[in-house]
Amino acid sequence: MTIAIFGAGAVGCYFGALLAQAGEDVVLIGRQTLVDAMSFRGLQLEKDGRIEHVTVRASTDPAAIAGADLVLVCVKSPDTQAAAQAMKPHLAPDATVLSLQNGIGNADLLSAELNRPVIPAVVYVAVGMAGPGHVQHKGRGELVLGEGPGADAAATRFNAAQIPTEVSTQAETALWTKLTLNCAVNAISALTRQPYGVIARRPEAEATFAALVAECRAVAQASGVTLPEDMLDQVIGITRSMSGQLSSTAQDVIAGKPTEIAMLNGEIARRGAALGIDTPLNRALAMMVGLIEPRRDAT
């Protein structure tokens, strides 16, 4: 049985490496630079102070997912529809598809495009790419899967690969909780190019986090989702437990790549506007990051 990882960036490479180490047949679908690096030295996994070389197949061709019984979609949120269209002709009829993506609504979009159930997965991991085919693990590494056909079997395989995974009826709330965490810290980290700990030491930080959380909570509540009461404490906890971490949005800005800001603070701003809820901080942060990121349609 094969596990295909579509959109193999840092998250996909990290989980792909662990699954391959556990004996799973894994194929990574990503950019040519990844394929070239893999053919030269394999996938480099930097974790717990050491670097291991993991043998994993890699391809740029979406057809490489043919025959896979488990597909992990790891593309950035704005690329979800295009990814679904590329995958659709090659998916096995009984394949389980998981969305390991930031933001909310990606699993629903994939499901609509693919005309099959897609299971949302909430990803709690700090990883980054030190170079093509070189993934660095910086913290955590758990998954929470929504319920659906194949979810329990997928969780069993992840847990066997030392990837702590549970199937939960509260996956939607967990997605909104992670979205709120990202909205509180990602854009600020991107605009300042500072890690969480440096941001949190500013005297204005807690009040700023609280205001961002309040906007997200209002939009979530109006969308039928109740965020945890300790949401602000969770934000502050992340800045302490991952004090040296640059947000994924910051990493994209520094690398000159498009970000997912439209699906983070921008999503809260859009939903707030549709619901008649003002979200000035999220709207402003989305606008500012959008102004400094490269355009996706730039040639």
Side-chain angles (χ1 to χ4, degrees):
M1 294 188 292
T2 300
I3 298 175
I5 299 177
F6 197 94
V11 168
C13 285
Y14 174 69
F15 289 118
L18 294 186
L19 289 162
Q21 285 182 324
E24 295 280 3
D25 178 25
V26 176
V27 58
L28 305 177
I29 295 95
R31 298 182 185 277
Q32 186 64 52
T33 51
L34 172 67
V35 175
D36 292 343
M38 298 282 287
S39 63
F40 177 64
R41 60 173 178 265
L43 180 60
Q44 291 181 287
L45 172 62
E46 186 172 345
K47 188 173 187 284
D48 300 328
R50 63 180 186 273
I51 297 177
E52 298 182 53
H53 294 261
V54 185
T55 301
V56 187
R57 291 185 291 132
S59 176
T60 61
D61 188 352
I65 69 172
D69 66 305
L70 179 60
V71 178
L72 314 184
V73 181
C74 301
V75 301
K76 291 187 179 298
S77 295
D79 299 324
T80 301
Q81 187 169 16
Q85 292 169 350
M87 291 189 299
K88 189 173 183 178
H90 312 293
L91 276 174
D94 57 350
T96 298
V97 182
L98 305 183
S99 166
L100 277 69
Q101 299 170 271
N102 278 328
I104 52 179
N106 288 308
D108 291 338
L109 178 55
L110 286 168
S111 180
E113 286 287 335
L114 297 174
N115 195 29
R116 65 168 68 204
V118 174
I119 298 167
V122 191
V123 182
Y124 300 104
V125 69
V127 287
M129 298 302 291
H134 181 177
V135 59
Q136 289 179 317
H137 175 256
K138 301 178 182 180
R140 300 188 68 173
E142 314 97 82
L143 296 173
V144 176
L145 308 186
E147 294 182 307
D152 289 327
T156 297
R157 293 169 81 175
F158 287 132
N159 281 305
Q162 305 303 307
I163 301 168
T165 305
E166 64 172 314
V167 178
S168 173
T169 60
Q170 299 300 309
E172 183 70 12
T173 298
L175 281 171
W176 273 89
T177 299
K178 187 185 177 188
L179 172 65
T180 302
L181 289 168
N182 285 335
C183 286
V185 297
N186 277 32
I188 298 172
S189 176
L191 291 166
T192 62
R193 302 194 178 195
Q194 295 292 341
Y196 301 150
V198 172
I199 297 166
R201 286 197 292 272
R202 293 288 303 184
E204 312 92 342
E206 185 168 342
T208 303
F209 295 153
L212 284 162
V213 166
E215 290 183 7
C216 294
R217 187 183 298 281
V219 174
Q221 189 72 42
S223 302
V225 175
T226 301
L227 292 176
E229 289 296 324
D230 67 343
M231 193 69 249
L232 177 58
D233 290 337
Q234 289 192 38
V235 172
I236 295 170
I238 287 291
T239 67
R240 292 172 178 166
S241 65
M242 298 183 179
S243 61
Q245 178 72 15
L246 283 167
S247 72
S248 58
T249 310
Q251 293 178 48
D252 286 338
V253 167
I254 291 168
K257 298 177 181 179
T259 76
E260 294 182 298
I261 197 67
M263 304 300 178
L264 301 176
N265 303 82
E267 181 70 12
I268 292 296
R270 274 194 307 276
R271 286 183 179 244
L275 293 164
I277 299 169
D278 195 19
T279 57
L281 284 179
N282 279 281
R283 186 171 62 244
L285 288 173
M287 180 191 72
M288 286 187 283
V289 174
L291 285 169
I292 64 172
E293 71 175 352
R295 288 173 48 189
R296 288 183 173 269
D297 59 352
T299 57

mmCIF file of all heavy atoms in Angstrom, residues 5 13 40 58 65 82 85 99 116 121 127 136 144 154 163 171 204 208 211 227 242 244 255-256 293:
data_model
loop_
_atom_site.group_PDB
_atom_site.id
_atom_site.type_symbol
_atom_site.label_atom_id
_atom_site.label_comp_id
_atom_site.label_asym_id
_atom_site.label_seq_id
_atom_site.Cartn_x
_atom_site.Cartn_y
_atom_site.Cartn_z
ATOM 1 N N ILE A 5 1.940 11.939 -0.947
ATOM 2 C CA ILE A 5 1.888 13.261 -0.316
ATOM 3 C C ILE A 5 1.933 14.295 -1.425
ATOM 4 O O ILE A 5 2.963 14.461 -2.092
ATOM 5 C CB ILE A 5 3.037 13.440 0.686
ATOM 6 C CG1 ILE A 5 2.915 12.383 1.787
ATOM 7 C CG2 ILE A 5 3.023 14.852 1.266
ATOM 8 C CD1 ILE A 5 4.024 12.390 2.799
ATOM 9 N N CYS A 13 7.066 16.754 3.774
ATOM 10 C CA CYS A 13 8.345 16.059 3.860
ATOM 11 C C CYS A 13 8.572 15.482 5.257
ATOM 12 O O CYS A 13 9.113 14.372 5.403
ATOM 13 C CB CYS A 13 9.490 16.993 3.479
ATOM 14 S SG CYS A 13 9.619 17.324 1.706
ATOM 15 N N PHE A 40 19.723 12.904 -5.479
ATOM 16 C CA PHE A 40 21.137 13.100 -5.152
ATOM 17 C C PHE A 40 21.508 12.484 -3.807
ATOM 18 O O PHE A 40 22.503 11.774 -3.682
ATOM 19 C CB PHE A 40 21.459 14.592 -5.166
ATOM 20 C CG PHE A 40 22.875 14.925 -4.773
ATOM 21 C CD1 PHE A 40 23.938 14.496 -5.549
ATOM 22 C CD2 PHE A 40 23.135 15.663 -3.633
ATOM 23 C CE1 PHE A 40 25.247 14.797 -5.188
ATOM 24 C CE2 PHE A 40 24.432 15.969 -3.271
ATOM 25 C CZ PHE A 40 25.495 15.532 -4.045
ATOM 26 N N ALA A 58 10.130 10.377 -5.161
ATOM 27 C CA ALA A 58 9.637 11.738 -5.376
ATOM 28 C C ALA A 58 9.371 11.951 -6.859
ATOM 29 O O ALA A 58 10.040 11.373 -7.716
ATOM 30 C CB ALA A 58 10.647 12.772 -4.877
ATOM 31 N N ILE A 65 0.365 9.715 -7.838
ATOM 32 C CA ILE A 65 -0.542 9.282 -6.774
ATOM 33 C C ILE A 65 -1.384 8.080 -7.191
ATOM 34 O O ILE A 65 -2.106 7.515 -6.363
ATOM 35 C CB ILE A 65 -1.479 10.412 -6.295
ATOM 36 C CG1 ILE A 65 -2.490 10.775 -7.386
ATOM 37 C CG2 ILE A 65 -0.700 11.634 -5.858
ATOM 38 C CD1 ILE A 65 -3.548 11.745 -6.894
ATOM 39 N N ALA A 82 -6.739 23.906 -7.565
ATOM 40 C CA ALA A 82 -5.857 23.432 -8.635
ATOM 41 C C ALA A 82 -5.300 22.050 -8.307
ATOM 42 O O ALA A 82 -5.170 21.189 -9.193
ATOM 43 C CB ALA A 82 -4.720 24.425 -8.863
ATOM 44 N N GLN A 85 -7.958 19.386 -8.964
ATOM 45 C CA GLN A 85 -8.132 19.139 -10.393
ATOM 46 C C GLN A 85 -6.990 18.299 -10.960
ATOM 47 O O GLN A 85 -7.202 17.457 -11.836
ATOM 48 C CB GLN A 85 -8.247 20.469 -11.136
ATOM 49 C CG GLN A 85 -9.530 21.226 -10.805
ATOM 50 C CD GLN A 85 -9.539 22.653 -11.318
ATOM 51 O OE1 GLN A 85 -8.516 23.167 -11.774
ATOM 52 N NE2 GLN A 85 -10.688 23.314 -11.241
ATOM 53 N N SER A 99 -6.780 16.288 4.269
ATOM 54 C CA SER A 99 -6.311 17.651 4.051
ATOM 55 C C SER A 99 -5.471 18.084 5.245
ATOM 56 O O SER A 99 -5.994 18.331 6.324
ATOM 57 C CB SER A 99 -7.504 18.605 3.889
ATOM 58 O OG SER A 99 -7.080 19.954 3.994
ATOM 59 N N ARG A 116 -15.903 13.190 -3.469
ATOM 60 C CA ARG A 116 -15.696 12.096 -2.513
ATOM 61 C C ARG A 116 -15.414 12.709 -1.151
ATOM 62 O O ARG A 116 -15.042 13.884 -1.054
ATOM 63 C CB ARG A 116 -14.525 11.217 -2.927
ATOM 64 C CG ARG A 116 -13.175 11.948 -2.887
ATOM 65 C CD ARG A 116 -12.012 10.985 -3.027
ATOM 66 N NE ARG A 116 -11.965 10.404 -4.359
ATOM 67 C CZ ARG A 116 -11.381 9.247 -4.637
ATOM 68 N NH1 ARG A 116 -10.808 8.563 -3.661
ATOM 69 N NH2 ARG A 116 -11.344 8.791 -5.864
ATOM 70 N N ALA A 121 -7.578 17.409 8.643
ATOM 71 C CA ALA A 121 -6.573 17.067 9.656
ATOM 72 C C ALA A 121 -5.997 18.353 10.220
ATOM 73 O O ALA A 121 -5.613 19.244 9.459
ATOM 74 C CB ALA A 121 -5.467 16.208 9.051
ATOM 75 N N VAL A 127 7.988 23.011 11.628
ATOM 76 C CA VAL A 127 9.007 22.488 10.721
ATOM 77 C C VAL A 127 9.361 23.563 9.705
ATOM 78 O O VAL A 127 8.619 24.525 9.501
ATOM 79 C CB VAL A 127 8.529 21.224 9.972
ATOM 80 C CG1 VAL A 127 8.475 20.026 10.900
ATOM 81 C CG2 VAL A 127 7.165 21.456 9.318
ATOM 82 N N GLN A 136 13.696 20.461 8.575
ATOM 83 C CA GLN A 136 14.102 20.628 9.973
ATOM 84 C C GLN A 136 12.875 20.578 10.875
ATOM 85 O O GLN A 136 11.913 21.335 10.675
ATOM 86 C CB GLN A 136 14.794 21.976 10.178
ATOM 87 C CG GLN A 136 16.165 22.087 9.561
ATOM 88 C CD GLN A 136 16.769 23.464 9.798
ATOM 89 O OE1 GLN A 136 16.092 24.479 9.679
ATOM 90 N NE2 GLN A 136 18.053 23.505 10.126
ATOM 91 N N VAL A 144 -4.706 15.732 14.498
ATOM 92 C CA VAL A 144 -6.077 15.431 14.901
ATOM 93 C C VAL A 144 -6.891 15.295 13.618
ATOM 94 O O VAL A 144 -6.947 16.236 12.818
ATOM 95 C CB VAL A 144 -6.679 16.528 15.801
ATOM 96 C CG1 VAL A 144 -8.146 16.208 16.112
ATOM 97 C CG2 VAL A 144 -5.882 16.661 17.094
ATOM 98 N N ALA A 154 -6.203 5.375 8.952
ATOM 99 C CA ALA A 154 -5.104 6.322 8.753
ATOM 100 C C ALA A 154 -4.426 6.647 10.080
ATOM 101 O O ALA A 154 -3.191 6.693 10.168
ATOM 102 C CB ALA A 154 -5.621 7.597 8.093
ATOM 103 N N ILE A 163 3.780 9.105 14.961
ATOM 104 C CA ILE A 163 3.114 10.386 14.748
ATOM 105 C C ILE A 163 1.846 10.368 15.595
ATOM 106 O O ILE A 163 0.871 9.707 15.225
ATOM 107 C CB ILE A 163 2.744 10.604 13.265
ATOM 108 C CG1 ILE A 163 3.989 10.549 12.376
ATOM 109 C CG2 ILE A 163 2.012 11.931 13.076
ATOM 110 C CD1 ILE A 163 3.689 10.470 10.884
ATOM 111 N N ALA A 171 -12.895 18.028 15.474
ATOM 112 C CA ALA A 171 -11.863 18.475 14.534
ATOM 113 C C ALA A 171 -12.159 19.865 13.991
ATOM 114 O O ALA A 171 -11.247 20.677 13.792
ATOM 115 C CB ALA A 171 -11.722 17.472 13.391
ATOM 116 N N GLU A 204 3.125 45.553 24.631
ATOM 117 C CA GLU A 204 1.815 45.640 23.981
ATOM 118 C C GLU A 204 1.307 44.285 23.491
ATOM 119 O O GLU A 204 0.172 44.172 23.006
ATOM 120 C CB GLU A 204 1.881 46.577 22.757
ATOM 121 C CG GLU A 204 2.557 47.916 23.001
ATOM 122 C CD GLU A 204 4.054 47.892 22.700
ATOM 123 O OE1 GLU A 204 4.634 46.765 22.625
ATOM 124 O OE2 GLU A 204 4.635 48.980 22.535
ATOM 125 N N THR A 208 -2.572 43.012 22.286
ATOM 126 C CA THR A 208 -2.760 42.830 20.846
ATOM 127 C C THR A 208 -3.277 41.426 20.542
ATOM 128 O O THR A 208 -4.218 41.248 19.758
ATOM 129 C CB THR A 208 -1.445 43.076 20.089
ATOM 130 O OG1 THR A 208 -0.966 44.385 20.399
ATOM 131 C CG2 THR A 208 -1.641 42.944 18.589
ATOM 132 N N ALA A 211 -6.957 41.220 21.487
ATOM 133 C CA ALA A 211 -7.866 41.870 20.537
ATOM 134 C C ALA A 211 -8.056 41.016 19.284
ATOM 135 O O ALA A 211 -9.175 40.898 18.756
ATOM 136 C CB ALA A 211 -7.325 43.249 20.172
ATOM 137 N N LEU A 227 -14.976 28.750 20.395
ATOM 138 C CA LEU A 227 -13.560 28.587 20.677
ATOM 139 C C LEU A 227 -13.342 28.311 22.163
ATOM 140 O O LEU A 227 -14.164 28.697 23.006
ATOM 141 C CB LEU A 227 -12.790 29.853 20.276
ATOM 142 C CG LEU A 227 -12.698 30.155 18.783
ATOM 143 C CD1 LEU A 227 -11.995 31.488 18.563
ATOM 144 C CD2 LEU A 227 -11.963 29.041 18.048
ATOM 145 N N MET A 242 7.414 27.790 21.785
ATOM 146 C CA MET A 242 8.111 27.889 20.500
ATOM 147 C C MET A 242 8.699 29.285 20.347
ATOM 148 O O MET A 242 8.534 29.947 19.316
ATOM 149 C CB MET A 242 7.146 27.589 19.339
ATOM 150 C CG MET A 242 6.566 26.201 19.350
ATOM 151 S SD MET A 242 5.514 25.911 17.896
ATOM 152 C CE MET A 242 5.027 24.209 18.172
ATOM 153 N N GLY A 244 11.553 30.509 19.744
ATOM 154 C CA GLY A 244 12.501 30.795 18.670
ATOM 155 C C GLY A 244 11.946 30.576 17.280
ATOM 156 O O GLY A 244 12.683 30.730 16.299
ATOM 157 N N ALA A 255 11.445 33.981 2.127
ATOM 158 C CA ALA A 255 11.839 33.200 0.950
ATOM 159 C C ALA A 255 11.305 33.797 -0.356
ATOM 160 O O ALA A 255 11.597 33.273 -1.431
ATOM 161 C CB ALA A 255 11.356 31.763 1.089
ATOM 162 N N GLY A 256 10.520 34.880 -0.252
ATOM 163 C CA GLY A 256 9.967 35.498 -1.448
ATOM 164 C C GLY A 256 8.852 34.692 -2.080
ATOM 165 O O GLY A 256 8.643 34.750 -3.298
ATOM 166 N N GLU A 293 3.979 40.461 -0.009
ATOM 167 C CA GLU A 293 4.212 39.146 -0.604
ATOM 168 C C GLU A 293 4.176 39.248 -2.128
ATOM 169 O O GLU A 293 3.506 40.132 -2.688
ATOM 170 C CB GLU A 293 3.171 38.130 -0.119
ATOM 171 C CG GLU A 293 1.781 38.351 -0.659
ATOM 172 C CD GLU A 293 0.812 37.256 -0.257
ATOM 173 O OE1 GLU A 293 1.222 36.249 0.317
ATOM 174 O OE2 GLU A 293 -0.398 37.415 -0.519
#
